Amino acid sequence: MGHCHDQKQREALFDLVLFLIVADGVITEQESEFMHKWLDTIEWNADVSKEEYYTTTLLKCYAAIKTDTVEDYLTHRAKLLIDNDMKQQAMQLVRDVAIADDELDAAEQQAIDLLSELLEK
């Protein structure tokens, strides 16, 4: 597997996990802390820094929610995860981040259910 290919999957994973943080419209301190700790553990080989990517992706997540294009957003990113271990990691991470604030919001559960369905295809 190529270097660029791996980075694209990491970015898609990042996008999906960050979406779960904003799915309920509120980013709690616990969720933000979870995300930043996880970010510190992943390899990053993009032209843009993790923090810049975080900010850009955050805006895209909010835009998907505001324009009611959540399914398209999640579908596009899920298709970029082609390795089974990346798909499993995505599901584990979105579940972990969804309960990082000790609450599972209906919007978060809906996103998890949709993502689970998309990754099983």
Side-chain angles (χ1 to χ4, degrees):
M1 182 180 328
H3 178 72
C4 181
H5 181 75
D6 287 343
Q7 181 62 27
K8 283 292 175 201
Q9 287 194 96
R10 278 191 292 275
E11 289 173 10
L13 186 61
F14 183 106
D15 295 353
L16 293 168
V17 173
L18 188 55
F19 183 83
L20 255 291
I21 287 180
V22 302
D24 62 359
V26 177
I27 301 175
T28 67
E29 187 175 326
Q30 296 95 327
E31 289 169 330
S32 180
E33 190 175 306
F34 177 96
M35 187 69 180
H36 282 91
K37 281 183 181 179
W38 175 66
L39 277 177
D40 289 342
T41 69
I42 64 172
E43 187 179 336
W44 196 255
N45 300 309
D47 292 337
V48 62
S49 72
K50 287 180 191 178
E51 282 302 317
E52 287 177 80
Y53 193 83
Y54 180 99
T55 302
T56 302
T57 302
L58 196 59
L59 295 174
K60 289 178 184 177
C61 291
Y62 281 126
I65 293 167
K66 187 175 182 175
T67 60
D68 200 26
T69 56
V70 169
E71 188 169 343
D72 292 340
Y73 181 88
L74 294 177
T75 299
H76 176 266
R77 274 101 185 139
K79 285 181 181 177
L80 295 172
L81 298 179
I82 57 173
D83 296 336
N84 282 333
D85 61 323
M86 288 296 274
K87 291 177 181 183
Q88 291 172 355
Q89 186 178 4
M91 287 310 303
Q92 186 60 54
L93 284 166
V94 296
R95 286 184 184 110
D96 290 348
V97 77
I99 60 169
D101 62 355
D102 296 323
E103 291 182 33
L104 183 60
D105 181 87
E108 292 169 330
Q109 185 61 60
Q110 191 174 19
I112 290 170
D113 292 345
L114 175 59
L115 185 57
S116 178
E117 186 180 310
L118 292 168
L119 293 177
E120 287 176 10
K121 289 183 180 180

